[in-house]
């Protein structure tokens, strides 16, 4: 094998970097502080139920697309069935309901039927979805290949149109109060470009954003299996505490037990803040590296409630969001909506006739950090969140409170403990206008042979972005080492 690469973190970005490193002739070793692969892409067992903490839809499930070829490289969808939804999500505002269909024609009819005087805004939105059907974003927006650029040419006018307006600005165009409120809940990322919303629904309408059956940990396990078959090495329960830098070059890492592991290249696929400010150290940082952590907004941390219920939920929308008549105080903040996901489409997660339900509730990291200091208070606050969710589920599904067999609540402290993610920001930087304009560095000017991949260098995060980022880290090393990069994309 060729030169040695150490990869910190066995999440999707780290496993991807490992696979592509092996495919391109390097000797790679992944260091993971946990005893499982996947990082944020994970599931866990509670009794008879598999509770899933990540994938609700996955870009790249359509054979033949660029992203699907990456999943083929990584073995991620090997022998895996994929569920596709007729309705992406359902929005409830009072007595009114908006079904967000994945078919643009059905969505257009639904929005026009539920609104008054919004024909122009509805048409602009749905035309955007239709206009981006077949569009495949570049695998690296900073280094677009000539072939990719040529294929993008016909989309450029649409890109310019839908990139320059935010979701929040477009939402304000709706005149009908119900449709304006419902649209705000379809993609509650007001500072992100409208392009994010139309592309997501375009991919779904193309059949390229389904949900892998079996859950997120199984998804990560398949990539782990592929990596090991390629000859890679994973060291679990091996926490890196320092990246060794000599003469301006990364030469390895120090583990928690004091052992030193040397390498020709070091890739950080773990939490970005930890990698820069703890593992590397501020003495090696330049302003370009620090700037994102000073200026950009992260995804708000979440409380993640998972339920296993003895109830057949077949036919329920995969995601439901209910806008509240009056905001409620919960988890250290005010919430104006409650949402949940019903996973009846994946029978591997529950026994026959039963189902799992999950809910993500935005919260405040400081609230949970303080609460965690008092175990009694911490458990009480977790139970309060669960009880609040059940109150709202009971209104929709009478009797469901008595059918709960398993309840699990994960807080930002949970995510931090298991994955090290900074302040529980589960997908890193929000894909805001500011983040998309900022060139977040993947390397450090003063430290050669060190690079970063994953959600902390790619605003918006997500599983596909992590896989692409790991691939690109190896491609960049190949260029540095003057060897050809091999991959099917």
């Amino acid at each position: 094998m060729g030169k040695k690469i150490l990869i910190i973190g066995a999440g999707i970005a780290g496993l991807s970097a490992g696979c592509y490193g092996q495919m391109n002739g390097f000797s790679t070793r992944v260091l993971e502080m946990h005893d499982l692969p996947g990082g944020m892409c994970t599931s866990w067992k509670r009794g008879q139920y598999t509770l899933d903490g990540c994938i609700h839809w996955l870009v790249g499930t359509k054979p033949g697309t660029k992203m699907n070829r990456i999943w083929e490289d990584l073995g991620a969808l090997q022998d895996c069935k994929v569920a596709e939804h007729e309705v992406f999500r359902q929005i409830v505002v009072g007595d009114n309901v908006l079904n967000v269909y994945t078919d643009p024609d059905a969505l257009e009819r639904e929005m026009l039927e539920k609104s008054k005087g919004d024909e122009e805004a509805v048409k602009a939105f749905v035309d955007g979805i239709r206009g981006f059907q077949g569009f495949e974003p570049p695998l690296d927006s900073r280094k677009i290949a000539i072939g990719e650029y040529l294929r993008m040419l016909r989309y450029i006018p649409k890109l310019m149109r839908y990139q320059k307006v935010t979701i929040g600005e477009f939402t304000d165009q709706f005149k009908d109060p119900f449709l304006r409120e419902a649209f705000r809940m379809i993609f509650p990322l007001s500072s992100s470009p409208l392009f994010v919303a139309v592309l997501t629904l375009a991919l779904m309408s193309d059949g390229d954003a389904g949900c892998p059956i079996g859950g997120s940990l199984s998804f990560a396990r398949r990539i782990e299996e592929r990596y090991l078959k390629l000859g890679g090495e994973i060291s679990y329960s091996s926490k890196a505490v320092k990246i060794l830098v000599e003469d301006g070059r990364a030469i390895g890492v120090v583990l928690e037990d004091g052992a030193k592991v040397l390498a020709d290249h070091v890739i950080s696929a773990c939490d970005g803040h930890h990698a820069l400010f703890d593992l590397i150290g501020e003495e090696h940082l330049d302003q370009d590296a620090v700037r994102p952590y000073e200026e950009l907004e992260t995804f708000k941390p979440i409380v993640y409630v998972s339920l296993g219920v003895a109830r057949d939920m077949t036919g329920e929308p995969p995601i439901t969001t209910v806008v509240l008549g009056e905001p409620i105080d919960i988890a250290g903040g005010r919430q104006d909506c409650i949402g949940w996901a019903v996973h009846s489409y994946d029978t591997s997660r529950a026994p026959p006739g039963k189902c799992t339900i999950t809910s993500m509730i935005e919260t405040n990291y400081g609230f949970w950090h303080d609460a965690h200091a008092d175990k009694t208070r911490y458990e009480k606050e977790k139970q309060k969140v669960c009880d609040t969710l059940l109150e709202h589920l009971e209104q929709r599904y009478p009797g469901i409170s008595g059918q709960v067999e398993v309840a699990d609540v994960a807080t930002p402290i949970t995510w931090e403990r298991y994955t090290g993610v900074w302040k529980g920001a589960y997908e890193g930087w929000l894909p805001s206008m500011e983040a998309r304009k900022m060139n977040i560095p993947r390397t450090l000017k003063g430290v050669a042979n060190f690079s970063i991949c994953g959600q902390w260098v790619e605003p918006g995060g997500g599983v596909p972005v992590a896989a692409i980022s790991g691939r690109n880290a190896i491609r960049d090393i190949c260029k540095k080492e003057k060897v050809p990069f091999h991959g099917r994309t």
Side-chain angles (χ1 to χ4, degrees):
M1 296 294 287
K3 290 189 175 181
K4 186 172 182 178
I5 301 175
L6 274 179
I7 302 163
I8 305 171
I12 301 303
L15 291 173
S16 174
C19 286
Y20 281 104
Q22 292 297 127
M23 291 163 59
N24 284 278
F26 296 98
S27 174
T28 68
R29 180 179 174 186
V30 176
L31 305 171
E32 170 56 46
M33 70 175 187
H34 196 16
D35 57 2
L36 295 172
M40 299 293 292
C41 183
T42 194
S43 311
W44 55 98
K45 296 285 289 186
R46 292 291 184 271
Q48 297 177 304
Y49 295 92
T50 298
L51 308 179
D52 199 276
C54 186
I55 302 174
H56 288 89
W57 69 89
L58 181 78
V59 176
T61 55
K62 182 179 181 179
T65 62
K66 289 187 295 187
M67 194 66 232
N68 187 260
R69 287 193 289 273
I70 288 179
W71 295 136
E72 286 184 357
D73 285 343
L74 302 179
L77 298 176
Q78 185 73 34
D79 301 321
C80 176
K81 294 181 179 179
V82 174
E84 295 184 18
H85 303 305
E86 179 183 357
V87 175
F88 164 49
R89 70 193 314 157
Q90 188 176 85
I91 312 295
V92 181
V93 184
D95 295 328
N96 297 311
V97 175
L98 181 74
N99 290 303
V100 184
Y101 291 98
T102 55
D103 174 69
D105 295 338
L107 177 60
E108 184 174 37
R109 289 192 297 270
E110 175 80 353
M111 294 180 76
L112 290 176
E113 288 173 4
K114 302 294 175 67
S115 71
K116 298 176 182 178
D118 287 312
E119 291 81 2
E120 185 177 343
V122 170
K123 180 175 173 55
F125 181 63
V126 179
D127 282 353
I129 296 170
R130 295 189 183 105
F132 283 104
Q133 287 177 319
F135 175 74
E136 295 187 67
L139 295 179
D140 189 345
S141 60
R142 309 181 203 184
K143 300 177 182 179
I144 302 176
I146 293 177
E148 284 187 308
Y149 179 77
L150 292 174
R151 286 190 292 272
M152 285 176 58
L153 279 176
R154 70 186 182 95
Y155 294 101
I156 287 179
K158 299 184 186 73
L159 280 166
M160 293 177 66
R161 178 184 180 188
Y162 288 93
Q163 289 273 27
K164 69 180 181 181
V165 59
T166 67
I167 293 174
E169 291 167 342
F170 189 80
T171 301
D172 291 339
Q173 296 181 23
F174 289 98
K175 301 180 180 66
D176 184 89
F178 163 66
L179 194 56
R180 184 170 59 248
E181 188 68 11
F183 191 86
R184 182 174 70 90
M185 292 297 167
I186 298 175
F187 291 95
L189 300 172
S190 62
S191 63
S192 298
L194 183 61
F195 171 70
V196 172
V198 296
L199 179 62
T200 300
L201 286 170
L203 290 165
M204 289 183 175
S205 68
D206 271 343
D208 194 28
C211 185
I213 298 300
S216 300
L217 182 57
S218 294
F219 181 86
R221 284 289 195 194
R222 287 191 291 272
I223 304 178
E224 174 199 45
E225 180 181 2
R226 168 70 169 155
Y227 173 59
L228 294 174
K229 284 183 177 178
L230 286 167
E233 179 184 357
I234 302 181
S235 298
Y236 287 112
S237 301
S238 296
K239 184 176 182 179
V241 295
K242 192 70 179 175
I243 294 173
L244 294 169
V245 179
E246 284 188 6
D247 300 323
R249 182 171 66 89
I251 64 167
V253 305
V254 179
L255 300 181
E256 194 170 37
D257 63 4
K260 293 182 179 180
V261 186
L262 303 182
D264 300 291
H265 293 270
V266 177
I267 298 176
S268 169
C270 64
D271 175 73
H273 188 276
H274 176 62
L276 294 179
F277 294 92
D278 299 325
L279 300 185
I280 283 282
E282 294 189 43
E283 68 272 19
H284 296 295
L285 303 185
D286 54 77
Q287 185 54 36
D288 286 342
V290 174
R291 185 183 171 200
Y293 295 89
E294 295 177 337
E295 299 182 11
L296 294 185
E297 184 180 359
T298 65
F299 277 85
K300 290 184 179 179
I302 58 170
V303 181
Y304 196 79
V305 184
S306 303
L307 305 173
V309 297
R311 188 183 186 117
D312 188 342
M313 307 285 282
T314 303
E316 287 298 313
I319 302 174
T320 298
T321 301
V322 177
V323 178
L324 304 176
E326 293 290 336
I328 59 174
D329 289 313
I330 184 174
R334 298 278 282 173
Q335 297 292 331
D336 62 358
C337 67
I338 288 286
W340 57 82
V342 174
H343 307 285
S344 57
Y345 57 86
D346 188 347
T347 57
S348 72
R349 302 188 190 189
K354 301 182 181 183
C355 186
T356 61
I357 300 174
T358 57
S359 179
M360 297 168 56
I361 300 173
E362 289 187 349
T363 189
N364 179 282
Y365 173 82
F367 173 83
W368 291 101
H369 182 272
D370 293 343
H372 191 252
D374 181 340
K375 184 175 181 180
T376 300
R377 179 192 169 195
Y378 184 65
E379 294 301 325
K380 182 179 179 180
E381 294 292 348
K382 288 168 62 177
Q383 187 61 51
K384 181 180 177 182
V385 174
C386 188
D387 291 344
T388 301
L389 174 63
L390 280 171
E391 287 176 15
H392 290 275
L393 286 173
E394 189 69 31
Q395 295 174 24
R396 182 68 178 266
Y397 312 110
I400 197 169
S401 296
Q403 297 170 322
V404 174
E405 297 185 326
V406 165
D408 184 269
V409 180
T411 75
I413 305 303
T414 312
W415 299 122
E416 185 179 57
R417 184 169 71 251
Y418 283 103
T419 71
V421 66
W422 185 46
K423 294 186 177 180
Y426 62 100
E427 279 192 304
W429 310 118
L430 277 173
S432 63
M433 292 292 199
E434 293 76 16
R436 295 177 72 86
K437 291 176 184 177
M438 186 180 291
N439 185 15
I440 302 174
R442 302 166 177 165
T443 58
L444 295 176
K445 295 175 183 176
V447 183
N449 296 358
F450 170 74
S451 56
I452 305 172
C453 65
Q455 64 185 22
W456 294 102
V457 291
E458 305 292 347
V463 173
V465 166
I468 292 170
S469 185
R471 166 198 179 273
N472 291 345
I474 297 300
R475 182 208 56 191
D476 292 345
I477 290 176
C478 286
K479 183 177 180 180
K480 180 180 178 64
E481 295 292 344
K482 295 182 171 57
V483 298
F485 174 75
H486 297 288
R488 277 174 275 188
T489 50

